[in-house]
Amino acid sequence: MVSCLGQHNYMKIEHSKGIGESIKRLEDKRFLQGQGHYIDDLQLPDMLHAAVLRSPYAHATITNIDVDFALEQPGVVTILTFADLHSVKPIPIRLNPYGSLEPFLQYPLANKRVRYVGDPVALIIAHSRYQAEDVLDNIVVQYDPLPVNIDAEDKVSCPLHHDAKDNVASNFVQQKGDVVEAFNKAEHITKLRFTSGRHSGVPLETRGLIANYDATQEKLKVWGPTKVTHFNRGVLAHMLEMEEHTIEMIEPDVGGGFGVRGEFYPEDYLIPYAALMLKRPVKWIEDRLENLMACNHSREQIYEMEMALKKDGTILGIKVLLSNDQGGYIRTHGIIVPELSAAIFPGPYRIPNYRCEVRSVLTNKTPAGTYRAPGRYECNSSRERLLDLAASELMIDPVKIRSMNLIQPEDMPYEVGTESLGENIVYDSGDYPFALQEVVRLSKYEENRHVDHDNLSNKKVGYGIACFVEKTGLGPFEGARIEIDQTGAITVSTGAANVGQGLETTLAQIASSVLTVSPDSIQVLHGDTDLIPYGVGSFASRATVMAGSAVYYAAQKIRKKLLKIAAHTMNCQVEQLIISDGDICMIDHQDKRLTLTQVAQQSSPRNCPPDIEPGLDFTHYFRCNQMTFAHGATIVKVEIDITTCAIVPKHVWIVYDIGKAINPQMVKGQIEGGAVQGLGGALLEEFNYDPSGQLTSGSFVDYLLPTTTETPLLESKRLDRSPSTLNPIQVKGAGECGIAGIGGALANAVADALGDSGNNVNVLPITPEKVWQWLMPMQDKTN
Amino acid sequence: MVQEATDNSRLIKLTVNGIEYERKVETRVTLVDFIRNELGITGTHVGCEHGVCGACTVMFDGQPVRSCIMLAVQADSHSVQTVESMSSGDQLHPIQQAFWENFGLQCGFCTPGFLLTVQDLLSRNPNPTDTEIREELSGNICRCTGYQSIIAAVKQAAIYMRQE
Ligand code: FES
Ligand code: FES
């Protein structure tokens, strides 16, 4: 395996101060006092406000747009439709472009045809947001309705895009071994069709942007981007035909990301376009209805699965036909979500023969993209449910069927035989059986399951297990720049983003561990494209792994320089010096020391010795083309009232291994937050559409998010057994481990509680209505 | 920003965080938009604009209300307190301190609403049980934390406040 550590194999962290301590988060003080700067908190003088007119039809031709009356309304400055956008281009794919997807890309405004309810049709600019929204009703658009397709398995009815023969955007296969042979040898075959419902990240803060053209600097400034600011600057430059350096993207504080926030959406073009055109600042804040119908959806997939086994439960092979409901357009994620599903479907198990055919199909729904553990929440849920069904058919214990098929520690590194994002999937390290044992032990699964099952009442209790592997630390690089100024103040800058996960704290801890200063004395800057020339961003649980490693190496470089200058000043050899408590001192005479500030002063061009390059300013780009894989196991306990069919998750246990943790308490927060989001998708959250393609869950009254009363007790345990070997700080990403297994564990728990009817469980979210159907004896089992 | 006052405007007088304001405001402007955009006090957040998420919670004459579904004119002659009123200078309120120590926030967007809801809860019930805490906070949505750390923070805050 190629190591990303290159020649500097700093496997030992010399100064552990900072790393591994649950220090209080550095960003919290401003948030607690209401002093954060979220996008809608920012005002510029003379600012105009935008509103987006969205299609009320799921599929229609636009025959006419009349804006004359609307333009006369109070406060209206201008209205833009597709025809007004000069040399407009479609929004390109960010991840893994496939040429054949070009015909399905979205333009910032609809060109003569709308493809989902919420498709942007016009942009209104007015003096206030109230006025801009007033005018939405005064634009007269004539629509000619077209047949609507909301079923991803109906691939031919009325192609959504002119140049396409049907609605299949992409059709590909991932495979290894010989599945036909495996099924020929099978002693038992288990079949399951499993559906994962449409839901999404739904951050509590909606999207928002401010754009302004600064004529004195000749620069277009955009506030509000996050996640991948450098990439988005490139996209905007390409679409506006400007040079990249004439655009600055600035990330404010961000009220949650979860994969959906920060991608390049139509508004990310429209608002800067309007600001350039009007030479005035323009602000747009998405409302919640817009957020639910315009921001990326995710998760809707159907798995037709067949598993070949021996009678003892050994898996011989798996065949999957995966239909992915892409919505009306291909957006920035291309088809990465179902590709990830197909790549990670084998999970932590040895599956010698595997074939997954993916069909990503366009429908008249909001376009889909990534959401925390994209593709994996779905494939893990499906696979884990399939395993339990097989166990039930073969009368094997759910723990046993997993244990006997898990990849063993001695198999590491393990080549899965699939690929994603152009990389072969290779699990780098992990003790999968141990994680399963631990979660079984922690939850007292063996003891409690039988006791709870025997309990004869209206309340049926069930336990469900899921094991998972999580891809983290996606490459190819991330950078960090560390500067120490003349006063000794330390600043870290990076291209990674802070979407609420606490990046400022994590990076400060890593820098402080090398420089032996207190983390709160380090300022971390991020999300501004002018800070550092290159950046990738925060997604795929990569920020701590990639930016953290870059900070570590940059800090090592600056440390070396500090020692060099100190050695010169103190008239000794570098080898005689160490850094301790932020001072540079002699190993043998610790009272002989210089403060960081003193050395910083000696580093300035004025004072620096002539044979040493002045300055304390280092940038490091950490490059790695291999993901590092976290893993774990989840158990959920549910209670089902068989009279009302109410499903109450009672307890969740998650055991996970992410290698080293920089701040264990923050990691725990990631696990818990992810778990509760995952429970939302398993029990409550769903974007529903009626047959005409109307979104019927456009508010928090219809799209239900978990609150304190729907949230069970969560217990998690971090194993520290498989440090990453791919980066110097030995970390794997933590952001998606809480959510990865919970859907499957919940579904299995419901099946367990339902006893004989449990084999019907084949869908998420599981609502009381579905439980009721499963309990009905003569029910149509295909649901 | 709330622009030019039309015929639909009223002159209102209210106290926000102890300071008295007199402003002409369009009758349709919500209380949260007024506080944020007209007064420039932006600690109160808007998560849904339809009264479900609790992010916009403020104290209205000492009672928690959702300022996204109230109009600014309804606050005429009343007193409003926002999250900005909780700490004095750099000294955090015990509830804020407890949230900080217990990692009761991640992105921080829901936090102002939670802090004020907890302040109200603890003023009525200084020693709430877990079930009571869950019940009382069920009108506030947090999308980041999974609530465990928030519940721990409330228990810690209750201890701090009983010690005061
Ligand atoms: S913004 Fe007022 S309740 Fe959500
Ligand atoms: S901390 Fe992000 S919504 Fe609660």
Side-chain angles (χ1 to χ4, degrees):
Chain A
M1 188 154 40
V2 191
S3 169
C4 305
L5 296 166
Q7 302 177 342
H8 318 275
N9 231 322
Y10 298 108
M11 291 308 292
K12 287 233 162 45
I13 294 162
E14 296 162 60
H15 313 283
S16 69
K17 182 171 175 174
I19 287 189
E21 273 180 60
S22 292
I23 62 161
K24 295 201 292 289
R25 299 193 340 154
L26 306 179
E27 41 274 88
D28 284 359
K29 250 191 153 171
R30 64 175 189 269
F31 296 157
L32 285 162
Q33 294 178 291
Q35 303 298 333
H37 286 288
Y38 301 90
I39 185 64
D40 198 21
D41 300 342
L42 311 177
Q43 308 277 5
L44 295 183
D46 212 20
M47 191 162 71
L48 298 170
H49 297 260
V52 180
L53 177 69
R54 299 180 185 279
S55 167
Y57 286 91
H59 199 190
T61 308
I62 298 174
T63 54
N64 191 38
I65 305 179
D66 182 351
V67 298
D68 291 351
F69 180 64
L71 279 170
E72 289 165 13
Q73 301 309 304
V76 175
V77 175
T78 193
I79 297 174
L80 299 174
T81 65
F82 182 85
D84 303 312
L85 304 175
H86 299 294
S87 61
V88 63
K89 302 174 175 63
I91 299 168
I93 295 172
R94 180 168 68 83
L95 286 171
N96 219 17
Y98 290 76
S100 60
L101 298 173
E102 295 297 328
F104 311 116
L105 302 183
Q106 183 170 21
Y107 281 87
L109 289 173
N111 177 18
K112 300 206 181 88
R113 187 155 164 187
V114 289
R115 297 178 173 89
Y116 62 94
V117 170
D119 207 345
V121 172
L123 183 77
I124 298 118
I125 309 287
H127 284 108
S128 80
R129 189 175 172 197
Y130 281 67
Q131 290 169 330
E133 291 183 4
D134 283 346
V135 174
L136 293 172
D137 289 339
N138 300 135
I139 300 175
V140 186
V141 186
Q142 272 161 14
Y143 295 97
D144 210 348
L146 292 165
V148 170
N149 176 27
I150 56 159
D151 177 1
E153 288 180 310
D154 175 5
K155 54 181 174 143
V156 276
S157 74
C158 189
L160 267 62
H161 294 265
H162 319 281
D163 316 345
K165 63 179 191 317
D166 60 23
N167 286 326
V168 180
S170 185
N171 188 347
F172 58 90
V173 173
Q174 294 235 9
Q175 60 186 335
K176 78 182 258 198
D178 184 346
V179 196
V180 178
E181 181 64 14
F183 276 80
N184 285 340
K185 285 199 189 132
E187 295 167 7
H188 181 83
I189 294 176
T190 295
K191 295 185 185 181
L192 175 66
R193 174 193 163 91
F194 191 88
T195 305
S196 167
R198 197 175 193 83
H199 60 277
S200 196
V202 192
L204 195 59
E205 183 197 29
T206 57
R207 292 178 298 147
L209 293 162
I210 298 173
N212 187 31
Y213 183 72
D214 184 331
T216 47
Q217 289 185 21
E218 295 183 1
K219 205 155 199 174
L220 173 64
K221 297 192 178 192
V222 186
W223 291 262
T226 180
K227 184 177 178 179
V228 287
T229 46
H230 283 81
F231 184 86
N232 284 355
R233 177 183 60 174
V235 173
L236 187 61
H238 156 77
M239 291 184 69
L240 291 172
E241 297 176 354
M242 291 172 69
E243 288 180 29
E244 268 193 37
H245 69 90
T246 62
I247 300 175
E248 181 180 1
M249 290 206 165
I250 305 154
E251 177 192 45
D253 284 324
V254 173
F258 315 124
V260 299
R261 173 88 190 265
E263 287 298 325
F264 200 100
Y265 289 93
E267 298 83 359
D268 291 82
Y269 170 86
L270 294 171
I271 304 306
Y273 184 92
L276 274 178
M277 188 181 107
L278 298 165
K279 300 279 180 292
R280 281 179 70 173
V282 176
K283 182 190 226 180
W284 168 72
I285 301 295
E286 183 182 52
D287 72 22
R288 185 52 68 183
L289 171 61
E290 286 185 287
N291 176 263
L292 295 172
M293 65 166 54
C295 203
N296 283 345
H297 286 185
S298 199
R299 299 284 200 246
E300 190 172 4
Q301 295 186 339
I302 303 167
Y303 290 76
E304 293 280 2
M305 300 172 284
E306 285 182 51
M307 179 156 70
L309 303 110
K310 286 205 239 168
K311 279 249 167 348
D312 68 356
T314 309
I315 300 171
L316 298 173
I318 300 183
K319 279 195 283 201
V320 184
L321 174 61
L322 167 53
S323 304
N324 181 69
D325 189 322
Q326 177 55 44
Y329 298 92
I330 296 282
R331 277 190 177 165
T332 50
H333 294 112
I335 47 138
I336 189 63
V337 173
E339 194 208 37
L340 281 165
S341 300
I344 305 290
F345 184 95
Y349 305 102
R350 289 169 165 156
I351 316 270
N353 304 291
Y354 170 63
R355 181 179 200 278
C356 181
E357 178 178 348
V358 174
R359 272 209 304 248
S360 196
V361 182
L362 294 156
T363 60
N364 293 112
K365 299 180 190 170
T366 299
T370 63
Y371 164 35
R372 204 173 199 173
R376 283 99 71 191
Y377 179 85
E378 306 88 309
C379 77
N380 291 340
S381 302
S382 308
R383 179 196 64 240
E384 293 298 317
R385 191 62 212 108
L386 179 68
L387 271 174
D388 262 25
L389 185 61
S392 149
E393 288 171 359
L394 293 169
M395 294 199 288
I396 304 175
D397 181 79
V399 177
K400 187 167 168 222
I401 197 166
R402 287 178 171 78
S403 309
M404 62 191 295
N405 287 295
L406 280 172
I407 296 162
Q408 300 297 307
E410 57 271 22
D411 298 337
M412 295 293 169
Y414 182 86
E415 281 229 29
V416 179
T418 56
E419 65 173 68
S420 183
L421 293 159
E423 290 183 28
N424 286 334
I425 302 292
V426 182
Y427 301 156
D428 49 331
S429 59
D431 188 340
Y432 301 171
F434 185 77
L436 176 59
Q437 276 166 33
E438 271 306 286
V439 81
V440 166
R441 195 187 56 77
L442 194 66
S443 61
K444 301 199 172 64
Y445 173 85
E446 312 277 3
E447 304 91 302
N448 291 343
R449 187 168 176 236
H450 297 293
V451 177
D452 288 337
H453 269 185
D454 294 343
N455 190 349
L456 295 173
S457 76
N458 260 357
K459 302 256 167 83
K460 293 293 173 207
V461 172
Y463 286 79
I465 309 179
C467 300
F468 62 89
V469 178
E470 248 310 292
K471 74 162 227 331
T472 83
L474 180 68
F477 74 88
E478 194 57 83
R481 174 179 171 193
I482 306 188
E483 272 176 272
I484 303 180
D485 74 8
Q486 278 201 61
T487 67
I490 305 169
T491 308
V492 174
S493 309
T494 178
N498 195 9
V499 284
Q501 81 278 36
L503 184 80
E504 292 167 26
T505 308
T506 320
L507 297 190
Q509 282 187 260
I510 294 167
S512 78
S513 76
V514 178
L515 300 173
T516 69
V517 295
S518 164
D520 59 12
S521 67
I522 297 176
Q523 189 185 22
V524 176
L525 305 175
H526 51 86
D528 184 327
T529 49
D530 278 9
L531 288 170
I532 186 165
Y534 309 98
V536 180
S538 294
F539 57 97
S541 296
R542 69 186 301 284
T544 304
V545 178
M546 299 301 293
S549 298
V551 167
Y552 178 79
Y553 282 127
Q556 288 287 358
K557 287 181 181 171
I558 219 161
R559 175 178 177 275
K560 219 168 143 192
K561 182 81 174 277
L562 284 167
L563 294 180
K564 190 169 175 188
I565 290 171
H568 189 276
T569 311
M570 294 166 89
N571 222 342
C572 64
Q573 299 299 311
V574 167
E575 294 71 34
Q576 292 173 278
L577 296 174
I578 53 162
I579 302 194
S580 136
D581 289 332
D583 291 349
I584 291 85
C585 55
M586 297 200 57
I587 299 171
D588 299 334
H589 303 277
Q590 298 233 349
D591 51 325
K592 288 200 177 155
R593 51 176 60 218
L594 291 172
T595 64
L596 195 66
T597 310
Q598 286 171 320
V599 182
Q601 281 162 358
Q602 292 306 316
S603 309
S604 78
R606 195 183 304 280
N607 304 330
C608 196
D611 53 334
I612 301 178
E613 175 78 18
L616 292 168
D617 180 353
F618 287 92
T619 300
H620 185 92
Y621 288 98
F622 178 67
R623 295 189 284 175
C624 187
N625 274 324
Q626 210 179 343
M627 293 184 269
T628 182
F629 287 83
H631 71 96
T634 306
I635 289 185
V636 174
K637 174 186 175 183
V638 296
E639 190 178 270
I640 295 180
D641 182 323
I642 54 167
T643 324
T644 63
C645 295
I647 311 138
V648 182
K650 300 296 276 187
H651 209 132
V652 171
W653 297 267
I654 301 177
V655 170
Y656 59 99
D657 198 337
I658 55 150
K660 290 261 172 290
I662 306 298
N663 182 317
Q665 222 28 58
M666 281 172 59
V667 167
K668 187 163 174 268
Q670 287 296 313
I671 300 298
E672 291 172 351
V676 171
Q677 283 190 317
L679 282 176
L683 290 168
L684 302 166
E685 298 174 38
E686 189 164 26
F687 291 119
N688 290 306
Y689 283 86
D690 76 7
S692 71
Q694 287 298 327
L695 177 69
T696 57
S697 24
S699 78
F700 283 168
V701 180
D702 307 293
Y703 186 92
L704 301 176
L705 297 170
T707 73
T708 41
T709 40
E710 289 84 37
T711 301
L713 275 178
L714 294 172
E715 260 180 83
S716 61
K717 182 174 176 191
R718 184 172 55 84
L719 304 176
D720 197 351
R721 291 168 68 93
S722 44
S724 175
T725 54
L726 298 172
N727 61 70
I729 46 178
Q730 305 175 324
V731 295
K732 301 177 178 181
E736 299 169 284
C737 286
I739 200 169
I742 197 139
L746 187 280
N748 283 336
V750 170
D752 188 40
L754 295 182
D756 290 344
S757 305
N759 285 357
N760 296 330
V761 175
N762 63 355
V763 66
L764 293 177
I766 299 177
T767 56
E769 187 189 354
K770 298 204 180 99
V771 168
W772 181 79
Q773 286 170 357
W774 292 327
L775 285 171
M776 290 292 102
M778 305 304 288
Q779 193 61 35
D780 169 13
K781 299 246 161 96
T782 58
N783 190 21
Chain B
M1 193 171 313
V2 188
Q3 286 278 321
E4 64 227 42
T6 63
D7 289 338
N8 294 326
S9 297
R10 298 282 181 280
L11 192 66
I12 62 167
K13 221 189 221 178
L14 76 169
T15 312
V16 180
N17 299 337
I19 300 173
E20 215 173 89
Y21 295 89
E22 195 176 306
R23 288 284 193 284
K24 207 164 180 201
V25 58
E26 260 192 277
T27 49
R28 64 173 177 167
V29 170
T30 62
L31 180 57
V32 70
D33 282 354
F34 175 78
I35 295 170
R36 290 176 47 82
N37 301 337
E38 196 66 18
L39 304 184
I41 306 172
T42 55
T44 310
H45 297 152
V46 178
C48 70
E49 282 182 299
H50 52 262
V52 179
C53 75
C56 66
T57 304
V58 298
M59 293 299 206
F60 188 84
D61 296 341
Q63 298 284 325
V65 299
R66 312 213 144 189
S67 57
C68 73
I69 46 170
M70 271 188 80
L71 297 171
V73 288
Q74 289 176 283
D76 189 17
S77 319
H78 291 273
S79 126
V80 173
Q81 275 178 312
T82 68
V83 67
E84 283 92 341
S85 71
M86 287 185 80
S87 51
S88 43
D90 216 25
Q91 183 64 41
L92 293 180
H93 187 281
I95 300 174
Q96 292 171 317
Q97 184 68 27
F99 267 67
W100 196 17
E101 289 168 4
N102 287 276
F103 296 76
L105 62 156
Q106 288 179 22
C107 79
F109 199 74
C110 68
T111 311
F114 270 96
L115 293 172
L116 291 169
T117 308
V118 172
Q119 192 175 28
D120 169 59
L121 162 64
L122 295 181
S123 72
R124 287 179 286 110
N125 181 352
N127 193 10
T129 63
D130 272 33
T131 316
E132 286 168 341
I133 294 171
R134 282 173 184 267
E135 203 57 52
E136 293 267 356
L137 297 188
S138 66
N140 288 71
I141 291 172
C142 175
R143 194 58 169 159
C144 299
T145 61
Y147 302 112
Q148 314 291 310
S149 58
I150 291 181
I151 293 162
V154 177
K155 293 205 299 210
Q156 176 84 62
I159 295 171
Y160 284 158
M161 290 185 64
R162 290 202 302 275
Q163 285 165 352
E164 279 207 335

